[in-house]
Amino acid sequence: MEPLANNVFDCALLFEGGGYRGAYTAGIANALLESEIWFDYVCGISAGASHTLNYVSRDQARVKKSFMALDGSEPVGGLGTMLKGKGYFNADYLYEGCIADGFAPFAWDAFVANPARIRIQAFDRDTGRTVTFGKQDMPNVWEAIKRVRASSTIPSAMKPEPVEGRVLFDGGLGEGAGLPTPMAEHDGFERLLLVATRVEGYRKHPFPSAVRMAIKRMFAAYPAVIEALLSRAERYNQELDHVSALERAGQALVIRPDTMPVKNTTLDTAELERAYELGHAQGLREVDRIHAFVQA
């Protein structure tokens, strides 16, 4: 396959995580692809890690399908998968399984042909360290998808799959607390386009005391996970403040959802379809503003 061309080089594209809120931002990602806005650097966390690889592969069908909760040979999640010990989200099928059975194949050749650099993030359960991966860590589709899965593994809701001998959890527990800004800045980018999954004015709130106690009991053997979970709201809000400062300085453009009609746990395909259509419509409306920003 001939190498693909990109046309945005001095600005990073960032995808925030958020579970099935990614249905909305999938619409925005596809609006970028349809408008031939091709970034040469893309990074994301959790659901944003899926967006990162799908966007770079330029497979618009998979960009959408990944967040429609459609069942192939197995259900993607819910009470049934929990009772079978597969977690609320059936990670075995959501990541590797749907590729293996052909329900949602990954365009590996196009991914490889795209020279764009990527970065996705996970959290080491035992050490509390933030772990990042790039294309150099993805020699084949299975190793790539394994790392996307690691970036998305919500503690207690998904079955973790060890990577390089480490048990990794959702990258939102690590640096940036769910916002991928630090990855792009560590890689030297001063101008950022952030596709967010939270509406204007959103702030995280600390867990109530009962939930905090439950977290301490559930992860008693993993103090780094407890610390990351209990401090996440504060750290996320601090990163939001940093992003706002970048916006005021003209260094960041944040595309926030006009509305967010679904939750991170939504598995109703009709609701996710509606979220996608709303996000796609917003993405198309934002194209001129995005063009102006990346060309400035």
Side-chain angles (χ1 to χ4, degrees):
M1 185 172 183
E2 292 294 319
L4 302 179
N6 294 313
N7 51 29
V8 179
F9 297 97
D10 63 349
C11 179
L13 173 61
L14 288 64
F15 288 108
E16 183 180 7
Y20 275 94
R21 290 192 295 272
Y24 192 103
T25 49
I28 296 173
N30 267 347
L32 292 173
L33 291 174
E34 290 166 19
S35 303
E36 298 186 355
I37 302 175
W38 296 324
F39 285 78
D40 200 54
Y41 178 98
V42 190
C43 65
I45 294 174
S46 194
S50 291
H51 283 335
T52 295
L53 270 70
N54 290 339
Y55 169 89
V56 170
S57 77
R58 299 191 186 171
D59 184 344
Q60 294 179 38
R62 195 174 204 277
V63 167
K64 179 180 179 179
K65 197 171 193 178
S66 294
F67 291 92
M68 291 297 102
L70 297 169
D71 294 347
S73 60
E74 292 187 33
V76 297
L79 181 60
T81 63
M82 284 187 67
L83 293 175
K84 292 178 180 178
K86 296 182 178 182
Y88 180 81
F89 298 112
N90 181 2
D92 288 344
Y93 188 72
L94 274 171
Y95 297 97
E96 294 90 347
C98 67
I99 297 174
D101 72 2
F103 182 71
F106 184 79
W108 178 252
D109 289 346
F111 176 76
V112 172
N114 191 332
R117 288 188 292 155
I118 69 164
R119 189 78 67 200
I120 63 174
Q121 175 176 307
F123 176 86
D124 189 309
R125 179 194 67 182
D126 299 323
T127 67
R129 293 176 181 167
T130 297
V131 181
T132 61
F133 300 111
K135 278 187 173 179
Q136 70 276 6
D137 305 300
M138 304 174 182
N140 56 59
V141 65
W142 305 114
E143 292 299 321
I145 295 301
K146 181 185 290 187
R147 285 156 177 77
V148 173
R149 173 176 176 168
S151 179
S152 309
T153 298
I154 303 169
S156 78
M158 294 169 67
K159 186 176 76 174
E161 183 74 13
V163 177
E164 299 174 356
R166 297 176 291 187
V167 175
L168 301 179
F169 280 159
D170 193 296
L173 298 185
E175 191 174 3
L179 290 165
T181 326
M183 283 191 288
E185 292 183 321
H186 289 333
D187 282 338
F189 284 86
E190 297 181 353
R191 302 181 69 250
L192 316 172
L193 173 68
L194 170 61
V195 180
T197 56
R198 294 294 194 175
V199 298
E200 179 74 41
Y202 172 81
R203 307 288 284 189
K204 279 194 184 299
H205 299 289
F207 291 119
S209 58
V211 176
R212 295 172 69 89
M213 292 300 296
I215 287 171
K216 290 178 180 179
R217 288 193 299 269
M218 186 178 301
F219 299 105
Y222 308 109
V225 176
I226 295 172
E227 170 61 25
L229 286 168
L230 297 188
S231 67
R232 189 178 176 210
E234 180 181 4
R235 294 185 294 115
Y236 181 88
N237 293 339
Q238 288 174 347
E239 196 63 32
L240 278 181
D241 291 340
H242 175 59
V243 170
S244 294
L246 293 176
E247 286 184 279
R248 291 193 296 272
Q251 293 177 250
L253 174 62
V254 182
I255 306 300
R256 297 180 178 86
D258 292 334
T259 182
M260 181 47 69
V262 294
K263 300 177 182 179
N264 63 337
T265 55
T266 298
L267 292 176
D268 184 295
T269 299
E271 293 181 19
L272 295 170
E273 176 74 35
R274 177 173 175 268
Y276 174 86
E277 293 300 334
L278 289 170
H280 185 247
Q282 180 181 351
L284 293 177
R285 292 196 305 271
E286 300 278 10
V287 163
D288 287 346
R289 190 161 70 111
I290 292 168
H291 268 303
F293 179 75
V294 300
Q295 294 173 358

Short mmCIF file of all heavy atoms in Angstrom, two decimals, residues 54-118:
data_model
loop_
_atom_site.label_atom_id
_atom_site.label_comp_id
_atom_site.label_asym_id
_atom_site.label_seq_id
_atom_site.Cartn_x
_atom_site.Cartn_y
_atom_site.Cartn_z
N ASN A 54 -8.19 4.16 15.15
CA ASN A 54 -9.19 4.14 14.07
C ASN A 54 -9.04 5.34 13.15
O ASN A 54 -9.15 5.22 11.92
CB ASN A 54 -10.59 4.08 14.66
CG ASN A 54 -10.91 2.76 15.32
OD1 ASN A 54 -10.28 1.75 15.05
ND2 ASN A 54 -11.89 2.76 16.20
N TYR A 55 -8.80 6.52 13.72
CA TYR A 55 -8.62 7.73 12.91
C TYR A 55 -7.39 7.59 12.01
O TYR A 55 -7.43 7.92 10.82
CB TYR A 55 -8.48 8.95 13.83
CG TYR A 55 -8.03 10.21 13.14
CD1 TYR A 55 -8.95 11.10 12.57
CD2 TYR A 55 -6.68 10.52 13.04
CE1 TYR A 55 -8.52 12.26 11.93
CE2 TYR A 55 -6.24 11.67 12.41
CZ TYR A 55 -7.17 12.53 11.85
OH TYR A 55 -6.74 13.68 11.21
N VAL A 56 -6.29 7.08 12.57
CA VAL A 56 -5.06 6.94 11.79
C VAL A 56 -5.23 5.90 10.69
O VAL A 56 -4.65 6.03 9.61
CB VAL A 56 -3.87 6.63 12.71
CG1 VAL A 56 -2.62 6.24 11.92
CG2 VAL A 56 -3.56 7.84 13.59
N SER A 57 -6.08 4.90 10.91
CA SER A 57 -6.35 3.91 9.86
C SER A 57 -7.30 4.45 8.80
O SER A 57 -7.46 3.84 7.73
CB SER A 57 -6.96 2.64 10.47
OG SER A 57 -8.32 2.82 10.78
N ARG A 58 -7.97 5.56 9.11
CA ARG A 58 -8.92 6.24 8.21
C ARG A 58 -10.10 5.36 7.80
O ARG A 58 -10.69 5.56 6.73
CB ARG A 58 -8.20 6.80 6.98
CG ARG A 58 -7.14 7.83 7.34
CD ARG A 58 -6.58 8.58 6.16
NE ARG A 58 -5.48 9.43 6.58
CZ ARG A 58 -4.67 10.09 5.77
NH1 ARG A 58 -4.86 10.00 4.45
NH2 ARG A 58 -3.69 10.82 6.24
N ASP A 59 -10.43 4.42 8.65
CA ASP A 59 -11.57 3.53 8.39
C ASP A 59 -12.80 4.13 9.06
O ASP A 59 -13.07 3.90 10.24
CB ASP A 59 -11.28 2.14 8.93
CG ASP A 59 -12.37 1.13 8.61
OD1 ASP A 59 -13.48 1.55 8.24
OD2 ASP A 59 -12.11 -0.07 8.74
N GLN A 60 -13.56 4.92 8.29
CA GLN A 60 -14.70 5.63 8.87
C GLN A 60 -15.77 4.68 9.40
O GLN A 60 -16.45 4.98 10.38
CB GLN A 60 -15.28 6.59 7.85
CG GLN A 60 -14.33 7.72 7.49
CD GLN A 60 -14.91 8.66 6.45
OE1 GLN A 60 -16.10 8.96 6.47
NE2 GLN A 60 -14.07 9.11 5.53
N ALA A 61 -15.91 3.53 8.76
CA ALA A 61 -16.90 2.56 9.24
C ALA A 61 -16.52 2.07 10.64
O ALA A 61 -17.37 1.97 11.53
CB ALA A 61 -17.01 1.39 8.27
N ARG A 62 -15.24 1.77 10.85
CA ARG A 62 -14.83 1.28 12.17
C ARG A 62 -14.84 2.38 13.21
O ARG A 62 -15.11 2.12 14.39
CB ARG A 62 -13.44 0.63 12.09
CG ARG A 62 -13.13 -0.19 13.33
CD ARG A 62 -11.83 -0.96 13.22
NE ARG A 62 -11.84 -2.12 14.09
CZ ARG A 62 -11.55 -2.08 15.39
NH1 ARG A 62 -11.22 -0.94 15.96
NH2 ARG A 62 -11.59 -3.18 16.10
N VAL A 63 -14.52 3.61 12.83
CA VAL A 63 -14.60 4.73 13.76
C VAL A 63 -15.97 4.75 14.43
O VAL A 63 -16.09 4.89 15.66
CB VAL A 63 -14.34 6.07 13.04
CG1 VAL A 63 -14.72 7.25 13.93
CG2 VAL A 63 -12.87 6.18 12.63
N LYS A 64 -17.01 4.58 13.62
CA LYS A 64 -18.37 4.59 14.16
C LYS A 64 -18.72 3.28 14.84
O LYS A 64 -19.22 3.26 15.97
CB LYS A 64 -19.36 4.87 13.02
CG LYS A 64 -20.82 4.87 13.48
CD LYS A 64 -21.77 5.14 12.33
CE LYS A 64 -23.22 5.12 12.80
NZ LYS A 64 -24.17 5.40 11.70
N LYS A 65 -18.46 2.17 14.17
CA LYS A 65 -18.92 0.86 14.65
C LYS A 65 -18.34 0.52 16.02
O LYS A 65 -18.98 -0.17 16.82
CB LYS A 65 -18.52 -0.21 13.64
CG LYS A 65 -19.26 -1.53 13.78
CD LYS A 65 -18.94 -2.44 12.60
CE LYS A 65 -19.88 -3.62 12.53
NZ LYS A 65 -19.62 -4.48 11.36
N SER A 66 -17.15 1.01 16.31
CA SER A 66 -16.50 0.71 17.58
C SER A 66 -17.30 1.20 18.78
O SER A 66 -17.10 0.72 19.90
CB SER A 66 -15.10 1.33 17.61
OG SER A 66 -14.26 0.72 16.67
N PHE A 67 -18.20 2.17 18.55
CA PHE A 67 -18.94 2.76 19.67
C PHE A 67 -20.45 2.63 19.52
O PHE A 67 -21.20 3.38 20.13
CB PHE A 67 -18.52 4.22 19.86
CG PHE A 67 -17.11 4.33 20.37
CD1 PHE A 67 -16.05 4.44 19.49
CD2 PHE A 67 -16.85 4.26 21.72
CE1 PHE A 67 -14.74 4.50 19.96
CE2 PHE A 67 -15.56 4.31 22.21
CZ PHE A 67 -14.50 4.44 21.32
N MET A 68 -20.90 1.67 18.74
CA MET A 68 -22.33 1.45 18.57
C MET A 68 -22.87 0.29 19.42
O MET A 68 -24.05 0.00 19.39
CB MET A 68 -22.65 1.18 17.08
CG MET A 68 -22.46 2.39 16.17
SD MET A 68 -23.58 3.78 16.56
CE MET A 68 -22.45 4.87 17.45
N ALA A 69 -21.98 -0.39 20.17
CA ALA A 69 -22.38 -1.53 21.02
C ALA A 69 -23.13 -2.59 20.24
O ALA A 69 -24.06 -3.22 20.74
CB ALA A 69 -23.22 -1.05 22.21
N LEU A 70 -22.74 -2.79 19.00
CA LEU A 70 -23.35 -3.82 18.17
C LEU A 70 -22.77 -5.18 18.51
O LEU A 70 -21.56 -5.31 18.74
CB LEU A 70 -23.11 -3.50 16.69
CG LEU A 70 -23.73 -2.19 16.18
CD1 LEU A 70 -23.19 -1.88 14.79
CD2 LEU A 70 -25.23 -2.29 16.16
N ASP A 71 -23.62 -6.19 18.54
CA ASP A 71 -23.16 -7.54 18.86
C ASP A 71 -22.78 -8.30 17.59
O ASP A 71 -23.55 -8.35 16.63
CB ASP A 71 -24.27 -8.33 19.58
CG ASP A 71 -24.58 -7.77 20.95
OD1 ASP A 71 -23.78 -6.95 21.43
OD2 ASP A 71 -25.61 -8.14 21.53
N GLY A 72 -21.60 -8.87 17.60
CA GLY A 72 -21.22 -9.78 16.54
C GLY A 72 -21.50 -11.20 17.00
O GLY A 72 -22.63 -11.57 17.28
N SER A 73 -20.46 -11.99 17.17
CA SER A 73 -20.66 -13.36 17.64
C SER A 73 -20.84 -13.44 19.15
O SER A 73 -21.21 -14.48 19.68
CB SER A 73 -19.48 -14.23 17.21
OG SER A 73 -18.27 -13.73 17.76
N GLU A 74 -20.56 -12.33 19.85
CA GLU A 74 -20.75 -12.26 21.30
C GLU A 74 -21.31 -10.90 21.68
O GLU A 74 -21.09 -9.92 20.97
CB GLU A 74 -19.42 -12.45 22.04
CG GLU A 74 -18.80 -13.81 21.94
CD GLU A 74 -17.59 -13.93 22.84
OE1 GLU A 74 -17.59 -13.29 23.92
OE2 GLU A 74 -16.65 -14.63 22.47
N PRO A 75 -22.03 -10.80 22.81
CA PRO A 75 -22.47 -9.49 23.29
C PRO A 75 -21.28 -8.67 23.76
O PRO A 75 -20.27 -9.22 24.22
CB PRO A 75 -23.41 -9.83 24.45
CG PRO A 75 -23.00 -11.19 24.88
CD PRO A 75 -22.53 -11.90 23.66
N VAL A 76 -21.38 -7.35 23.64
CA VAL A 76 -20.27 -6.49 24.00
C VAL A 76 -20.25 -6.15 25.48
O VAL A 76 -19.26 -5.61 25.99
CB VAL A 76 -20.28 -5.18 23.18
CG1 VAL A 76 -20.11 -5.48 21.71
CG2 VAL A 76 -21.56 -4.38 23.44
N GLY A 77 -21.33 -6.44 26.18
CA GLY A 77 -21.34 -6.15 27.61
C GLY A 77 -22.73 -6.22 28.20
O GLY A 77 -23.69 -6.61 27.54
N GLY A 78 -22.81 -5.86 29.48
CA GLY A 78 -24.09 -5.87 30.18
C GLY A 78 -24.11 -6.89 31.29
O GLY A 78 -23.09 -7.52 31.63
N LEU A 79 -25.27 -7.08 31.89
CA LEU A 79 -25.42 -7.99 33.02
C LEU A 79 -25.02 -9.42 32.65
O LEU A 79 -24.39 -10.13 33.44
CB LEU A 79 -26.86 -7.96 33.52
CG LEU A 79 -27.18 -8.86 34.72
CD1 LEU A 79 -26.32 -8.47 35.92
CD2 LEU A 79 -28.67 -8.77 35.07
N GLY A 80 -25.37 -9.85 31.43
CA GLY A 80 -25.05 -11.21 31.01
C GLY A 80 -23.57 -11.48 31.02
O GLY A 80 -23.13 -12.54 31.48
N THR A 81 -22.77 -10.56 30.52
CA THR A 81 -21.32 -10.78 30.49
C THR A 81 -20.74 -10.70 31.90
O THR A 81 -19.76 -11.39 32.21
CB THR A 81 -20.61 -9.78 29.57
OG1 THR A 81 -20.78 -8.45 30.05
CG2 THR A 81 -21.14 -9.87 28.15
N MET A 82 -21.35 -9.87 32.77
CA MET A 82 -20.90 -9.83 34.16
C MET A 82 -21.10 -11.18 34.83
O MET A 82 -20.23 -11.69 35.53
CB MET A 82 -21.65 -8.74 34.93
CG MET A 82 -21.20 -7.33 34.65
SD MET A 82 -21.99 -6.13 35.74
CE MET A 82 -21.29 -6.58 37.32
N LEU A 83 -22.27 -11.76 34.63
CA LEU A 83 -22.58 -13.04 35.27
C LEU A 83 -21.69 -14.17 34.76
O LEU A 83 -21.46 -15.16 35.46
CB LEU A 83 -24.05 -13.40 35.03
CG LEU A 83 -25.07 -12.47 35.72
CD1 LEU A 83 -26.49 -12.84 35.31
CD2 LEU A 83 -24.91 -12.51 37.24
N LYS A 84 -21.16 -14.01 33.54
CA LYS A 84 -20.25 -15.00 32.99
C LYS A 84 -18.79 -14.74 33.36
O LYS A 84 -17.88 -15.43 32.90
CB LYS A 84 -20.38 -15.04 31.46
CG LYS A 84 -21.72 -15.58 30.98
CD LYS A 84 -21.80 -15.55 29.47
CE LYS A 84 -23.14 -16.08 28.97
NZ LYS A 84 -23.25 -16.02 27.50
N GLY A 85 -18.57 -13.71 34.18
CA GLY A 85 -17.22 -13.40 34.63
C GLY A 85 -16.38 -12.65 33.63
O GLY A 85 -15.15 -12.58 33.77
N LYS A 86 -17.03 -12.05 32.62
CA LYS A 86 -16.28 -11.32 31.59
C LYS A 86 -16.24 -9.82 31.82
O LYS A 86 -15.64 -9.09 31.03
CB LYS A 86 -16.89 -11.62 30.21
CG LYS A 86 -16.78 -13.07 29.80
CD LYS A 86 -17.34 -13.31 28.41
CE LYS A 86 -17.18 -14.75 27.97
NZ LYS A 86 -17.68 -14.99 26.61
N GLY A 87 -16.91 -9.36 32.88
CA GLY A 87 -16.94 -7.94 33.17
C GLY A 87 -18.16 -7.26 32.57
O GLY A 87 -18.82 -7.81 31.68
N TYR A 88 -18.46 -6.06 33.06
CA TYR A 88 -19.60 -5.32 32.50
C TYR A 88 -19.37 -5.07 31.01
O TYR A 88 -20.30 -5.11 30.21
CB TYR A 88 -19.80 -4.00 33.24
CG TYR A 88 -20.97 -3.20 32.69
CD1 TYR A 88 -22.27 -3.50 33.07
CD2 TYR A 88 -20.78 -2.17 31.77
CE1 TYR A 88 -23.36 -2.81 32.55
CE2 TYR A 88 -21.85 -1.47 31.24
CZ TYR A 88 -23.13 -1.79 31.64
OH TYR A 88 -24.20 -1.11 31.11
N PHE A 89 -18.13 -4.76 30.64
CA PHE A 89 -17.76 -4.67 29.23
C PHE A 89 -16.97 -5.92 28.88
O PHE A 89 -15.99 -6.26 29.54
CB PHE A 89 -16.91 -3.42 28.97
CG PHE A 89 -17.61 -2.13 29.25
CD1 PHE A 89 -17.21 -1.33 30.31
CD2 PHE A 89 -18.67 -1.71 28.46
CE1 PHE A 89 -17.85 -0.13 30.56
CE2 PHE A 89 -19.32 -0.52 28.72
CZ PHE A 89 -18.91 0.27 29.77
N ASN A 90 -17.40 -6.62 27.86
CA ASN A 90 -16.78 -7.87 27.43
C ASN A 90 -15.51 -7.53 26.63
O ASN A 90 -15.51 -7.54 25.40
CB ASN A 90 -17.77 -8.67 26.58
CG ASN A 90 -17.20 -10.00 26.13
OD1 ASN A 90 -16.07 -10.36 26.46
ND2 ASN A 90 -17.98 -10.73 25.35
N ALA A 91 -14.44 -7.24 27.36
CA ALA A 91 -13.21 -6.77 26.71
C ALA A 91 -12.64 -7.78 25.73
O ALA A 91 -12.09 -7.40 24.69
CB ALA A 91 -12.17 -6.40 27.77
N ASP A 92 -12.76 -9.08 26.05
CA ASP A 92 -12.23 -10.10 25.13
C ASP A 92 -12.83 -9.95 23.74
O ASP A 92 -12.14 -10.13 22.73
CB ASP A 92 -12.54 -11.50 25.66
CG ASP A 92 -11.69 -11.87 26.87
OD1 ASP A 92 -10.68 -11.20 27.10
OD2 ASP A 92 -12.06 -12.83 27.56
N TYR A 93 -14.12 -9.61 23.69
CA TYR A 93 -14.75 -9.46 22.38
C TYR A 93 -14.62 -8.04 21.83
O TYR A 93 -14.41 -7.87 20.62
CB TYR A 93 -16.24 -9.85 22.44
CG TYR A 93 -16.83 -9.87 21.04
CD1 TYR A 93 -16.49 -10.89 20.16
CD2 TYR A 93 -17.65 -8.85 20.58
CE1 TYR A 93 -16.96 -10.91 18.86
CE2 TYR A 93 -18.13 -8.85 19.28
CZ TYR A 93 -17.78 -9.89 18.42
OH TYR A 93 -18.23 -9.89 17.12
N LEU A 94 -14.74 -7.04 22.68
CA LEU A 94 -14.68 -5.65 22.23
C LEU A 94 -13.39 -5.33 21.49
O LEU A 94 -13.38 -4.50 20.57
CB LEU A 94 -14.81 -4.70 23.42
CG LEU A 94 -16.22 -4.33 23.86
CD1 LEU A 94 -16.17 -3.56 25.18
CD2 LEU A 94 -16.93 -3.50 22.79
N TYR A 95 -12.32 -5.96 21.88
CA TYR A 95 -11.02 -5.64 21.30
C TYR A 95 -10.55 -6.74 20.33
O TYR A 95 -10.70 -6.61 19.13
CB TYR A 95 -10.01 -5.34 22.43
CG TYR A 95 -10.47 -4.12 23.20
CD1 TYR A 95 -11.20 -4.25 24.38
CD2 TYR A 95 -10.27 -2.85 22.70
CE1 TYR A 95 -11.69 -3.14 25.05
CE2 TYR A 95 -10.75 -1.72 23.36
CZ TYR A 95 -11.46 -1.88 24.53
OH TYR A 95 -11.97 -0.78 25.17
N GLU A 96 -10.04 -7.84 20.83
CA GLU A 96 -9.53 -8.87 19.94
C GLU A 96 -10.63 -9.66 19.22
O GLU A 96 -10.51 -9.95 18.03
CB GLU A 96 -8.63 -9.85 20.72
CG GLU A 96 -7.34 -9.25 21.26
CD GLU A 96 -7.48 -8.67 22.65
OE1 GLU A 96 -8.63 -8.51 23.14
OE2 GLU A 96 -6.45 -8.37 23.26
N GLY A 97 -11.70 -9.99 19.93
CA GLY A 97 -12.70 -10.90 19.39
C GLY A 97 -13.40 -10.41 18.14
O GLY A 97 -13.60 -11.17 17.18
N CYS A 98 -13.79 -9.13 18.13
CA CYS A 98 -14.54 -8.61 16.98
C CYS A 98 -13.67 -8.47 15.74
O CYS A 98 -14.18 -8.38 14.62
CB CYS A 98 -15.21 -7.29 17.34
SG CYS A 98 -14.07 -5.93 17.63
N ILE A 99 -12.35 -8.44 15.93
CA ILE A 99 -11.44 -8.46 14.78
C ILE A 99 -11.28 -9.89 14.29
O ILE A 99 -11.35 -10.16 13.08
CB ILE A 99 -10.07 -7.86 15.17
CG1 ILE A 99 -10.22 -6.38 15.55
CG2 ILE A 99 -9.07 -8.01 14.02
CD1 ILE A 99 -8.95 -5.75 16.07
N ALA A 100 -11.10 -10.81 15.24
CA ALA A 100 -10.87 -12.21 14.87
C ALA A 100 -12.05 -12.81 14.11
O ALA A 100 -11.85 -13.61 13.18
CB ALA A 100 -10.57 -13.03 16.12
N ASP A 101 -13.29 -12.44 14.50
CA ASP A 101 -14.44 -13.04 13.81
C ASP A 101 -14.90 -12.24 12.60
O ASP A 101 -15.87 -12.59 11.94
CB ASP A 101 -15.60 -13.26 14.79
CG ASP A 101 -16.30 -11.97 15.22
OD1 ASP A 101 -15.93 -10.88 14.74
OD2 ASP A 101 -17.23 -12.06 16.05
N GLY A 102 -14.18 -11.14 12.29
CA GLY A 102 -14.49 -10.36 11.10
C GLY A 102 -15.62 -9.38 11.25
O GLY A 102 -16.00 -8.69 10.28
N PHE A 103 -16.17 -9.24 12.46
CA PHE A 103 -17.29 -8.32 12.65
C PHE A 103 -16.84 -6.86 12.54
O PHE A 103 -17.54 -6.03 11.97
CB PHE A 103 -17.95 -8.57 14.01
CG PHE A 103 -19.14 -7.69 14.28
CD1 PHE A 103 -20.33 -7.88 13.60
CD2 PHE A 103 -19.07 -6.67 15.21
CE1 PHE A 103 -21.42 -7.06 13.83
CE2 PHE A 103 -20.15 -5.84 15.46
CZ PHE A 103 -21.34 -6.05 14.77
N ALA A 104 -15.67 -6.56 13.10
CA ALA A 104 -15.15 -5.19 13.03
C ALA A 104 -13.65 -5.26 12.74
O ALA A 104 -12.82 -4.99 13.60
CB ALA A 104 -15.42 -4.44 14.34
N PRO A 105 -13.27 -5.65 11.52
CA PRO A 105 -11.85 -5.79 11.18
C PRO A 105 -11.13 -4.44 11.28
O PRO A 105 -11.74 -3.38 11.15
CB PRO A 105 -11.89 -6.30 9.74
CG PRO A 105 -13.22 -5.87 9.21
CD PRO A 105 -14.16 -5.92 10.38
N PHE A 106 -9.84 -4.53 11.54
CA PHE A 106 -9.03 -3.32 11.65
C PHE A 106 -8.19 -3.16 10.39
O PHE A 106 -7.55 -4.12 9.93
CB PHE A 106 -8.12 -3.39 12.88
CG PHE A 106 -7.32 -2.14 13.10
CD1 PHE A 106 -7.91 -1.02 13.67
CD2 PHE A 106 -5.99 -2.07 12.71
CE1 PHE A 106 -7.17 0.15 13.86
CE2 PHE A 106 -5.25 -0.92 12.89
CZ PHE A 106 -5.85 0.20 13.47
N ALA A 107 -8.16 -1.95 9.84
CA ALA A 107 -7.44 -1.69 8.58
C ALA A 107 -5.95 -1.54 8.85
O ALA A 107 -5.39 -0.44 8.81
CB ALA A 107 -8.01 -0.44 7.90
N TRP A 108 -5.31 -2.66 9.12
CA TRP A 108 -3.91 -2.64 9.54
C TRP A 108 -2.99 -2.06 8.47
O TRP A 108 -2.08 -1.27 8.77
CB TRP A 108 -3.45 -4.05 9.92
CG TRP A 108 -2.01 -4.11 10.32
CD1 TRP A 108 -0.98 -4.65 9.62
CD2 TRP A 108 -1.45 -3.59 11.53
NE1 TRP A 108 0.20 -4.52 10.31
CE2 TRP A 108 -0.06 -3.87 11.49
CE3 TRP A 108 -1.96 -2.93 12.63
CZ2 TRP A 108 0.81 -3.49 12.51
CZ3 TRP A 108 -1.10 -2.55 13.67
CH2 TRP A 108 0.27 -2.83 13.59
N ASP A 109 -3.17 -2.43 7.22
CA ASP A 109 -2.29 -1.94 6.16
C ASP A 109 -2.35 -0.42 6.06
O ASP A 109 -1.31 0.24 5.87
CB ASP A 109 -2.65 -2.57 4.83
CG ASP A 109 -2.28 -4.04 4.75
OD1 ASP A 109 -1.50 -4.50 5.61
OD2 ASP A 109 -2.77 -4.73 3.84
N ALA A 110 -3.55 0.15 6.17
CA ALA A 110 -3.68 1.61 6.11
C ALA A 110 -3.06 2.26 7.34
O ALA A 110 -2.43 3.32 7.24
CB ALA A 110 -5.15 2.00 5.99
N PHE A 111 -3.23 1.62 8.49
CA PHE A 111 -2.62 2.14 9.72
C PHE A 111 -1.11 2.22 9.58
O PHE A 111 -0.48 3.22 9.93
CB PHE A 111 -3.02 1.24 10.90
CG PHE A 111 -2.40 1.61 12.21
CD1 PHE A 111 -2.84 2.69 12.93
CD2 PHE A 111 -1.36 0.84 12.73
CE1 PHE A 111 -2.27 3.02 14.16
CE2 PHE A 111 -0.78 1.16 13.95
CZ PHE A 111 -1.24 2.25 14.67
N VAL A 112 -0.52 1.17 9.05
CA VAL A 112 0.93 1.14 8.86
C VAL A 112 1.37 2.14 7.80
O VAL A 112 2.41 2.78 7.93
CB VAL A 112 1.38 -0.29 8.49
CG1 VAL A 112 2.86 -0.31 8.10
CG2 VAL A 112 1.13 -1.25 9.65
N ALA A 113 0.56 2.30 6.75
CA ALA A 113 0.91 3.20 5.66
C ALA A 113 0.82 4.67 6.06
O ALA A 113 1.39 5.54 5.39
CB ALA A 113 0.01 2.95 4.46
N ASN A 114 0.10 4.95 7.14
CA ASN A 114 -0.03 6.34 7.60
C ASN A 114 1.20 6.69 8.43
O ASN A 114 1.46 6.06 9.47
CB ASN A 114 -1.29 6.49 8.43
CG ASN A 114 -1.63 7.96 8.72
OD1 ASN A 114 -0.75 8.81 8.77
ND2 ASN A 114 -2.90 8.23 8.91
N PRO A 115 1.98 7.71 8.02
CA PRO A 115 3.20 8.05 8.76
C PRO A 115 2.94 8.77 10.07
O PRO A 115 3.89 9.08 10.81
CB PRO A 115 3.95 8.95 7.78
CG PRO A 115 2.87 9.59 6.96
CD PRO A 115 1.81 8.53 6.81
N ALA A 116 1.68 9.04 10.40
CA ALA A 116 1.37 9.78 11.63
C ALA A 116 1.94 9.08 12.85
O ALA A 116 1.87 7.86 12.97
CB ALA A 116 -0.14 9.94 11.77
N ARG A 117 2.50 9.87 13.75
CA ARG A 117 2.91 9.35 15.05
C ARG A 117 1.69 9.25 15.95
O ARG A 117 0.79 10.08 15.86
CB ARG A 117 3.95 10.26 15.70
CG ARG A 117 5.32 10.21 15.07
CD ARG A 117 6.31 11.00 15.91
NE ARG A 117 6.01 12.42 15.88
CZ ARG A 117 6.37 13.28 16.83
NH1 ARG A 117 6.99 12.86 17.92
NH2 ARG A 117 6.08 14.56 16.71
N ILE A 118 1.67 8.25 16.81
CA ILE A 118 0.58 8.12 17.76
C ILE A 118 1.14 7.90 19.16
O ILE A 118 2.29 7.50 19.34
CB ILE A 118 -0.38 6.96 17.41
CG1 ILE A 118 0.32 5.60 17.62
CG2 ILE A 118 -0.92 7.08 16.00
CD1 ILE A 118 -0.64 4.44 17.67
#
